[in-house]
Amino acid sequence: MTTDGATVPLGVDSRRLVAYLAVHPRPQERTSLAADLWPGVPTDAAVRLLADAATAVDVPELFADEDESGPLALAADVEVDLADALGLVRAMPDIPTNHDPDISLLSADILPGWTAPWIAVERERFRQLRLHALEERSLRLTSAARYAEAVAIAKSAVQTAPSRESARRVLIEAYLGQGDIAAAVAEFDDYQELLRSSVGGPASTGLEALFPPSPVWPVLRARRTMPRSAVQLPGLRSVRGATPSTRRLVAGGSVPGPSQR
């Protein structure tokens, strides 16, 4: 967390409280909030822990309401990167394909390493939203013949979720639009190999239908069945992925959740 350009140190309980309010922007009733942050702790004790955590946050006007018994929420002028990322997800369909928005906010999960149940639910929800937004953006760029950009965005989705078929599909479509059949075939085979290793046998995904009839296809597939060498020559497998006064909360980090304390 930063305020006026400076990092503000917070204790573990205070960090958990601020992170919870950043992820849940609506005002939170204190009893249920305390139960989420300190599961298994008696209600009265959890509410006291919550009050202590809020008091220990030495940032004036961080909370919307300083009433010690009222609901807790962050003040309206506190910026949260997760809120910015969700705004980008909502705006993505309306961004023209000749514009290049900064999608770095969609490149990572929120609060990686935290294991509390309340963050696991929100992390997966955001993960699905950002992956869908990246896939849709890649498809639109492919349709607009901006293949390099489409490939880059699709690769970021694949790197986030290697077993997600829709991400592999848009990457293959971008490669095929670019005319890079070899890269498309390599991506298809990598996905098939991943499925075989995870489910224990060959899997039919329907991705084969993306490849038009071509004499190139069986030749490339035949080459892929040869034993792999431990020596990789350069380039042959390059298709494999790879303001000061404003308060700002960054919903990422390595602070442990409750189970890691």
Side-chain angles (χ1 to χ4, degrees):
M1 174 180 173
T2 62
T3 181
D4 293 330
T7 300
V8 178
L10 297 175
V12 172
D13 285 348
S14 295
R15 274 180 282 182
R16 291 166 58 203
L17 169 59
V18 172
Y20 189 103
L21 297 178
V23 173
H24 303 85
R26 295 182 179 178
Q28 302 294 312
E29 194 275 326
R30 290 184 180 240
T31 301
S32 60
L33 173 57
D36 273 355
L37 290 176
W38 291 276
V41 176
T43 300
D44 290 345
V47 170
R48 287 195 298 271
L49 288 171
L50 173 61
D52 291 343
T55 301
V57 179
D58 189 20
V59 180
E61 300 180 352
L62 177 67
F63 301 116
D65 189 350
E66 299 296 336
D67 183 356
E68 295 184 0
S69 61
L72 270 175
L74 297 178
D77 63 343
V78 176
E79 291 187 0
V80 180
D81 61 350
L82 176 58
D84 293 342
L86 291 173
L88 177 58
V89 167
R90 290 190 292 270
M92 195 79 84
D94 298 321
I95 299 176
T97 54
N98 60 347
H99 291 187
D100 296 311
D102 180 4
I103 61 171
S104 58
L105 286 173
L106 306 183
S107 64
D109 287 331
I110 57 174
L111 298 174
W114 290 41
T115 58
W118 62 265
I119 190 57
V121 172
E122 296 302 325
R123 180 188 294 126
E124 182 58 23
R125 172 177 171 270
F126 175 61
R127 185 172 181 268
Q128 294 299 324
L129 288 173
R130 68 187 179 89
L131 284 171
H132 180 73
L134 292 172
E135 291 166 359
E136 288 297 313
R137 183 67 180 176
S138 179
L139 286 172
R140 292 183 61 204
L141 290 170
T142 295
S143 297
R146 294 190 63 183
Y147 302 118
E149 294 90 340
V151 166
I153 290 179
K155 277 186 175 181
S156 68
V158 169
Q159 289 167 0
T160 297
S163 62
R164 185 178 170 99
E165 181 180 329
S166 55
R168 298 280 185 161
R169 179 179 294 273
V170 297
L171 179 53
I172 290 172
E173 289 186 2
Y175 277 138
L176 290 175
Q178 197 175 35
D180 194 344
I181 298 177
V185 172
E187 193 65 34
F188 173 84
D189 283 351
D190 285 346
Y191 185 49
Q192 292 295 100
E193 182 177 340
L194 174 64
L195 293 180
R196 282 192 294 270
S197 64
S198 61
V199 303
S204 176
T205 63
L207 295 181
E208 297 92 337
L210 294 175
F211 296 93
S214 168
V216 179
W217 164 249
V219 172
L220 291 173
R221 289 301 306 277
R223 290 175 180 171
R224 291 283 293 176
T225 59
M226 294 175 63
R228 295 186 176 184
S229 169
V231 179
Q232 294 190 1
L233 300 180
L236 292 183
R237 293 291 293 165
S238 63
V239 297
R240 296 173 65 94
T243 62
S245 63
T246 300
R247 301 194 191 100
R248 181 160 194 85
L249 299 178
V250 179
S254 58
V255 179
S259 66
Q260 294 178 306
R261 292 181 61 206

